[in-house]
Amino acid sequence: MQARKTRVLIVEDSETVAMLQIRLLENSGYDVRHAETGAEGLRLAAEWVPDILVLDITLPDMDGLDILKKIQMSRPETRPDVLVLSGHDDPEITFASLRQGAQDFIRKPFHHEEYLLRISAIERLRTYRRFNDALQTQLEGDLRKLSRYFSKDLIHAILDGSIAADPGGEITTATFLMFDLRSSTAIAEQMGPQVFFQFLSSFFADISDLIYSCNGAINKFTGDGYLVTFGLRDYSEAATMNAIQCALKIRDHIAMYNELRPENLKEPIGFGIGITTGEVFAGNIGTVHKLEYTILGDAVNLSARLEAMTKRAHVDVLLDQTTRRIAGDKIAVKRLRTTAIRGKSEPVEIFFLAGLKST
């Protein structure tokens, strides 16, 4: 299939100058059309959709700068690149043309070779720009696909080199939110596998949106829930508050969902959340043949323990003492007890998250 020729529209009221340009361009393999007035040029630009517009700045019916403004208001995918021609020596005309979006400027009378070189340069830049736009679109699509499997902060850290492609990692601080959907096995039995899959996909899509809206990153999908990190790559106390607000949004969302739940869902949906803050190891575990980016540490394990304890405590969100201390008087909590946690030598203070305190 033969490639389409580059289209060049010449807007020029001088027949002599126009014919010279047409001859030069057609001999160089361009597809050329000519308009004698600004109005005709705008019509052809809209109907024919040229790649390059060679615009005389002085026309009998319109000012060239006004035409340039109208061209720049057209859709980017149909907007031509503009080479402005002028017989004036006033540099302000050159500056005004470039400020209005022209790619280049050339004075009359022009040298034939210089004219063709400038046209060729505009053509190459246009090709490079379209190629870059296509690559950017492809990259954005690839990142969207990857974000279904990896957290966005992890993807960007790998791409910018913050995370090396070798075994190893770093000690970092973050807040962790472990979310679990209750009674998923019973729900699956009620709905059947196909309907349950559709329900789970829709439900978790909504929860994921809430997580990302609070600047959280899903680190791991646990089958019935998520391990979510806040501030893993750049921690501040604001990340802890983001996690708390995320838990409260999930609570409100599920409460509303239960009020409007479908008929095939007999019982209200239950859930549990454990939130902790602390130092962990974040990095690559494995061998030269296979690596997995993972998070290891007491804070992660404790978030899972707290999430499990919500069942016995008959509450939905539990915090550890570090998270509660960071949040301070911004939240309303109820201290449940100081208890021993499996795997921890010291007793742990546990708090139920009631909500945010009114300012």
Side-chain angles (χ1 to χ4, degrees):
M1 183 176 177
Q2 188 175 4
R4 180 176 73 84
K5 292 182 178 180
T6 299
R7 295 179 176 181
V8 182
L9 173 60
I10 299 168
V11 182
E12 171 64 64
D13 62 332
S14 169
E15 184 176 354
T16 303
V17 176
M19 292 305 296
L20 172 61
Q21 294 183 71
I22 292 171
R23 179 170 58 83
L24 289 172
L25 292 169
E26 287 183 341
N27 288 344
S28 298
Y30 293 95
D31 187 4
V32 187
R33 292 196 183 183
H34 171 226
E36 293 185 355
T37 64
E40 185 183 2
L42 288 173
R43 180 183 63 80
L44 279 174
E47 295 176 359
W48 190 49
V49 191
D51 302 298
I52 300 173
L53 173 64
V54 183
L55 176 64
D56 185 6
I57 205 71
T58 305
L59 294 167
D61 62 331
M62 297 179 69
D63 182 83
L65 291 177
D66 291 334
I67 296 175
L68 196 52
K69 291 179 185 177
K70 293 180 183 296
I71 291 295
Q72 295 307 310
M73 292 172 63
S74 60
R75 299 194 310 273
E77 63 270 20
T78 63
R79 185 184 306 155
D81 292 320
V82 182
L83 171 64
V84 172
L85 284 129
S86 176
H88 298 285
D89 291 330
D90 186 359
E92 184 55 38
I93 296 178
T94 304
F95 302 151
S97 300
L98 296 175
R99 281 195 295 265
Q100 290 297 335
Q103 273 64 44
D104 204 350
F105 189 98
I106 190 171
R107 299 192 185 283
K108 302 177 185 178
F110 49 79
H111 193 284
H112 297 182
E113 185 174 358
E114 180 189 4
Y115 176 87
L116 290 174
L117 285 173
R118 290 179 183 270
I119 291 288
S120 178
I122 291 175
E123 182 183 22
R124 286 198 303 274
L125 286 172
R126 184 178 182 85
T127 301
Y128 294 153
R129 188 170 64 248
R130 287 188 169 182
F131 180 70
N132 287 335
D133 289 344
L135 284 179
Q136 181 67 27
T137 301
Q138 180 181 346
L139 177 60
E140 290 172 354
D142 291 343
L143 288 175
R144 282 194 296 271
K145 293 176 184 176
L146 286 173
S147 66
R148 294 178 177 269
Y149 299 92
F150 307 100
S151 64
K152 292 182 180 179
D153 60 341
L154 174 58
I155 294 171
H156 290 298
I158 293 173
L159 293 178
D160 67 19
S162 300
I163 296 177
D166 301 306
E170 60 180 343
I171 302 298
T172 184
T173 299
T175 294
F176 303 93
L177 184 152
M178 183 68 78
F179 169 84
D180 184 72
L181 177 67
R182 298 286 186 252
S183 305
S184 59
T185 302
I187 296 173
E189 290 177 354
Q190 292 176 27
M191 295 183 171
Q194 184 173 357
V195 176
F196 176 68
F197 172 78
Q198 295 171 348
F199 154 75
L200 209 60
S201 298
S202 174
F203 180 80
F204 279 147
D206 292 339
I207 300 299
S208 298
D209 288 341
L210 293 176
I211 290 169
Y212 286 120
S213 73
C214 295
N215 297 318
I218 297 173
N219 176 264
K220 186 181 297 182
F221 180 63
T222 61
D224 292 338
Y226 300 114
L227 170 62
V228 186
T229 64
F230 294 83
L232 182 64
R233 306 298 308 172
D234 186 18
Y235 176 76
S236 69
E237 292 187 355
T240 299
M241 289 306 303
N242 286 339
I244 290 171
Q245 290 173 341
C246 181
L248 294 174
K249 285 186 177 183
I250 291 174
R251 174 189 284 168
D252 291 342
H253 173 76
I254 292 180
M256 182 177 65
Y257 185 92
N258 282 328
E259 290 182 5
L260 305 172
R261 68 182 185 273
E263 294 181 356
N264 60 350
L265 193 60
K266 297 178 181 179
E267 298 294 330
I269 290 175
F271 71 98
I273 290 177
I275 302 177
T276 60
T277 304
E279 285 190 342
V280 293
F281 168 85
N284 297 320
I285 299 294
T287 68
V288 294
H289 302 290
K290 186 179 188 308
L291 291 176
E292 179 180 354
Y293 186 83
T294 189
I295 302 170
L296 302 173
D298 181 62
V300 176
N301 298 334
L302 182 57
S303 68
R305 301 278 190 273
L306 294 186
E307 179 275 309
M309 289 180 66
T310 59
K311 299 178 184 178
R312 299 196 301 271
H314 302 290
V315 295
D316 53 8
V317 183
L318 290 178
L319 313 177
D320 73 336
Q321 54 201 20
T322 304
T323 302
R324 194 266 172 275
R325 175 181 54 78
I326 293 171
D329 59 3
K330 296 177 183 177
I331 59 174
V333 298
K334 178 181 179 181
R335 183 176 177 275
L336 296 188
R337 58 181 171 172
T338 301
T339 186
I341 299 289
R342 182 164 56 89
K344 292 187 68 66
S345 58
E346 299 293 332
V348 175
E349 284 191 300
I350 302 173
F351 299 87
F352 163 65
L353 176 63
L356 296 176
K357 282 189 177 178
S358 172
T359 56

mmCIF file of all heavy atoms in Angstrom, residues 123-139:
data_model
loop_
_atom_site.group_PDB
_atom_site.id
_atom_site.type_symbol
_atom_site.label_atom_id
_atom_site.label_comp_id
_atom_site.label_asym_id
_atom_site.label_seq_id
_atom_site.Cartn_x
_atom_site.Cartn_y
_atom_site.Cartn_z
ATOM 1 N N GLU A 123 8.106 18.931 8.221
ATOM 2 C CA GLU A 123 7.566 17.595 7.967
ATOM 3 C C GLU A 123 8.191 16.562 8.915
ATOM 4 O O GLU A 123 7.487 15.719 9.487
ATOM 5 C CB GLU A 123 7.824 17.204 6.517
ATOM 6 C CG GLU A 123 7.252 15.853 6.129
ATOM 7 C CD GLU A 123 7.598 15.494 4.696
ATOM 8 O OE1 GLU A 123 8.580 16.054 4.153
ATOM 9 O OE2 GLU A 123 6.899 14.640 4.133
ATOM 10 N N ARG A 124 9.520 16.628 9.102
ATOM 11 C CA ARG A 124 10.191 15.674 9.985
ATOM 12 C C ARG A 124 9.741 15.861 11.434
ATOM 13 O O ARG A 124 9.479 14.877 12.142
ATOM 14 C CB ARG A 124 11.710 15.841 9.886
ATOM 15 C CG ARG A 124 12.314 15.301 8.600
ATOM 16 C CD ARG A 124 13.815 15.098 8.759
ATOM 17 N NE ARG A 124 14.484 16.324 9.160
ATOM 18 C CZ ARG A 124 14.915 17.253 8.320
ATOM 19 N NH1 ARG A 124 14.730 17.098 7.009
ATOM 20 N NH2 ARG A 124 15.534 18.331 8.754
ATOM 21 N N LEU A 125 9.644 17.110 11.880
ATOM 22 C CA LEU A 125 9.197 17.360 13.250
ATOM 23 C C LEU A 125 7.769 16.854 13.470
ATOM 24 O O LEU A 125 7.444 16.318 14.534
ATOM 25 C CB LEU A 125 9.272 18.856 13.567
ATOM 26 C CG LEU A 125 10.670 19.428 13.781
ATOM 27 C CD1 LEU A 125 10.618 20.940 13.900
ATOM 28 C CD2 LEU A 125 11.323 18.822 15.024
ATOM 29 N N ARG A 126 6.941 17.004 12.453
ATOM 30 C CA ARG A 126 5.560 16.524 12.550
ATOM 31 C C ARG A 126 5.538 14.999 12.668
ATOM 32 O O ARG A 126 4.786 14.435 13.472
ATOM 33 C CB ARG A 126 4.779 16.983 11.317
ATOM 34 C CG ARG A 126 3.293 16.630 11.349
ATOM 35 C CD ARG A 126 2.589 17.174 10.115
ATOM 36 N NE ARG A 126 1.169 16.886 10.140
ATOM 37 C CZ ARG A 126 0.254 17.615 10.745
ATOM 38 N NH1 ARG A 126 0.617 18.706 11.394
ATOM 39 N NH2 ARG A 126 -1.020 17.281 10.716
ATOM 40 N N THR A 127 6.381 14.342 11.880
ATOM 41 C CA THR A 127 6.467 12.884 11.929
ATOM 42 C C THR A 127 6.956 12.417 13.292
ATOM 43 O O THR A 127 6.404 11.479 13.887
ATOM 44 C CB THR A 127 7.408 12.364 10.833
ATOM 45 O OG1 THR A 127 6.913 12.770 9.553
ATOM 46 C CG2 THR A 127 7.500 10.843 10.877
ATOM 47 N N TYR A 128 8.008 13.074 13.818
ATOM 48 C CA TYR A 128 8.532 12.711 15.133
ATOM 49 C C TYR A 128 7.475 12.910 16.212
ATOM 50 O O TYR A 128 7.338 12.088 17.124
ATOM 51 C CB TYR A 128 9.768 13.551 15.468
ATOM 52 C CG TYR A 128 10.958 13.294 14.588
ATOM 53 C CD1 TYR A 128 11.910 14.279 14.376
ATOM 54 C CD2 TYR A 128 11.129 12.066 13.936
ATOM 55 C CE1 TYR A 128 13.001 14.061 13.548
ATOM 56 C CE2 TYR A 128 12.218 11.847 13.106
ATOM 57 C CZ TYR A 128 13.148 12.840 12.917
ATOM 58 O OH TYR A 128 14.222 12.617 12.107
ATOM 59 N N ARG A 129 6.730 14.017 16.129
ATOM 60 C CA ARG A 129 5.718 14.315 17.142
ATOM 61 C C ARG A 129 4.612 13.256 17.129
ATOM 62 O O ARG A 129 4.166 12.796 18.188
ATOM 63 C CB ARG A 129 5.146 15.708 16.900
ATOM 64 C CG ARG A 129 4.219 16.181 18.022
ATOM 65 C CD ARG A 129 3.867 17.645 17.872
ATOM 66 N NE ARG A 129 3.109 17.908 16.679
ATOM 67 C CZ ARG A 129 3.556 18.594 15.633
ATOM 68 N NH1 ARG A 129 4.777 19.105 15.634
ATOM 69 N NH2 ARG A 129 2.800 18.798 14.561
ATOM 70 N N ARG A 130 4.177 12.876 15.933
ATOM 71 C CA ARG A 130 3.131 11.855 15.846
ATOM 72 C C ARG A 130 3.632 10.508 16.346
ATOM 73 O O ARG A 130 2.896 9.759 16.999
ATOM 74 C CB ARG A 130 2.643 11.742 14.397
ATOM 75 C CG ARG A 130 1.795 12.924 13.954
ATOM 76 C CD ARG A 130 1.182 12.695 12.595
ATOM 77 N NE ARG A 130 0.175 13.700 12.296
ATOM 78 C CZ ARG A 130 -0.548 13.711 11.170
ATOM 79 N NH1 ARG A 130 -0.358 12.778 10.262
ATOM 80 N NH2 ARG A 130 -1.446 14.652 10.974
ATOM 81 N N PHE A 131 4.901 10.205 16.033
ATOM 82 C CA PHE A 131 5.486 8.960 16.519
ATOM 83 C C PHE A 131 5.554 8.963 18.040
ATOM 84 O O PHE A 131 5.217 7.968 18.689
ATOM 85 C CB PHE A 131 6.878 8.784 15.911
ATOM 86 C CG PHE A 131 7.581 7.530 16.354
ATOM 87 C CD1 PHE A 131 7.145 6.286 15.937
ATOM 88 C CD2 PHE A 131 8.681 7.613 17.192
ATOM 89 C CE1 PHE A 131 7.798 5.124 16.338
ATOM 90 C CE2 PHE A 131 9.334 6.460 17.608
ATOM 91 C CZ PHE A 131 8.890 5.211 17.182
ATOM 92 N N ASN A 132 5.970 10.077 18.619
ATOM 93 C CA ASN A 132 6.038 10.192 20.078
ATOM 94 C C ASN A 132 4.660 10.107 20.711
ATOM 95 O O ASN A 132 4.485 9.502 21.777
ATOM 96 C CB ASN A 132 6.717 11.501 20.477
ATOM 97 C CG ASN A 132 8.208 11.490 20.219
ATOM 98 O OD1 ASN A 132 8.822 10.424 20.190
ATOM 99 N ND2 ASN A 132 8.798 12.650 20.036
ATOM 100 N N ASP A 133 3.667 10.723 20.059
ATOM 101 C CA ASP A 133 2.300 10.647 20.576
ATOM 102 C C ASP A 133 1.795 9.203 20.576
ATOM 103 O O ASP A 133 1.128 8.764 21.526
ATOM 104 C CB ASP A 133 1.358 11.519 19.732
ATOM 105 C CG ASP A 133 1.605 13.005 19.939
ATOM 106 O OD1 ASP A 133 2.268 13.363 20.930
ATOM 107 O OD2 ASP A 133 1.138 13.802 19.103
ATOM 108 N N ALA A 134 2.126 8.470 19.503
ATOM 109 C CA ALA A 134 1.711 7.069 19.425
ATOM 110 C C ALA A 134 2.395 6.237 20.510
ATOM 111 O O ALA A 134 1.769 5.382 21.144
ATOM 112 C CB ALA A 134 2.035 6.507 18.043
ATOM 113 N N LEU A 135 3.692 6.512 20.741
ATOM 114 C CA LEU A 135 4.410 5.802 21.797
ATOM 115 C C LEU A 135 3.835 6.129 23.172
ATOM 116 O O LEU A 135 3.705 5.253 24.030
ATOM 117 C CB LEU A 135 5.894 6.170 21.751
ATOM 118 C CG LEU A 135 6.744 5.539 20.651
ATOM 119 C CD1 LEU A 135 8.185 6.037 20.751
ATOM 120 C CD2 LEU A 135 6.710 4.012 20.730
ATOM 121 N N GLN A 136 3.477 7.409 23.379
ATOM 122 C CA GLN A 136 2.905 7.817 24.663
ATOM 123 C C GLN A 136 1.565 7.127 24.903
ATOM 124 O O GLN A 136 1.285 6.660 26.013
ATOM 125 C CB GLN A 136 2.724 9.345 24.679
ATOM 126 C CG GLN A 136 2.155 9.898 25.968
ATOM 127 C CD GLN A 136 3.106 9.747 27.131
ATOM 128 O OE1 GLN A 136 4.309 9.708 26.948
ATOM 129 N NE2 GLN A 136 2.556 9.657 28.337
ATOM 130 N N THR A 137 0.745 7.053 23.848
ATOM 131 C CA THR A 137 -0.543 6.368 23.963
ATOM 132 C C THR A 137 -0.353 4.893 24.285
ATOM 133 O O THR A 137 -1.050 4.327 25.130
ATOM 134 C CB THR A 137 -1.343 6.524 22.658
ATOM 135 O OG1 THR A 137 -1.557 7.920 22.396
ATOM 136 C CG2 THR A 137 -2.687 5.828 22.752
ATOM 137 N N GLN A 138 0.615 4.271 23.603
ATOM 138 C CA GLN A 138 0.897 2.861 23.863
ATOM 139 C C GLN A 138 1.407 2.657 25.287
ATOM 140 O O GLN A 138 1.001 1.719 25.977
ATOM 141 C CB GLN A 138 1.923 2.336 22.860
ATOM 142 C CG GLN A 138 2.270 0.860 23.064
ATOM 143 C CD GLN A 138 3.300 0.373 22.067
ATOM 144 O OE1 GLN A 138 3.579 1.026 21.082
ATOM 145 N NE2 GLN A 138 3.875 -0.793 22.334
ATOM 146 N N LEU A 139 2.299 3.567 25.735
ATOM 147 C CA LEU A 139 2.845 3.459 27.087
ATOM 148 C C LEU A 139 1.746 3.603 28.130
ATOM 149 O O LEU A 139 1.706 2.849 29.112
ATOM 150 C CB LEU A 139 3.918 4.527 27.305
ATOM 151 C CG LEU A 139 4.548 4.594 28.699
ATOM 152 C CD1 LEU A 139 5.225 3.277 29.040
ATOM 153 C CD2 LEU A 139 5.543 5.742 28.790
#
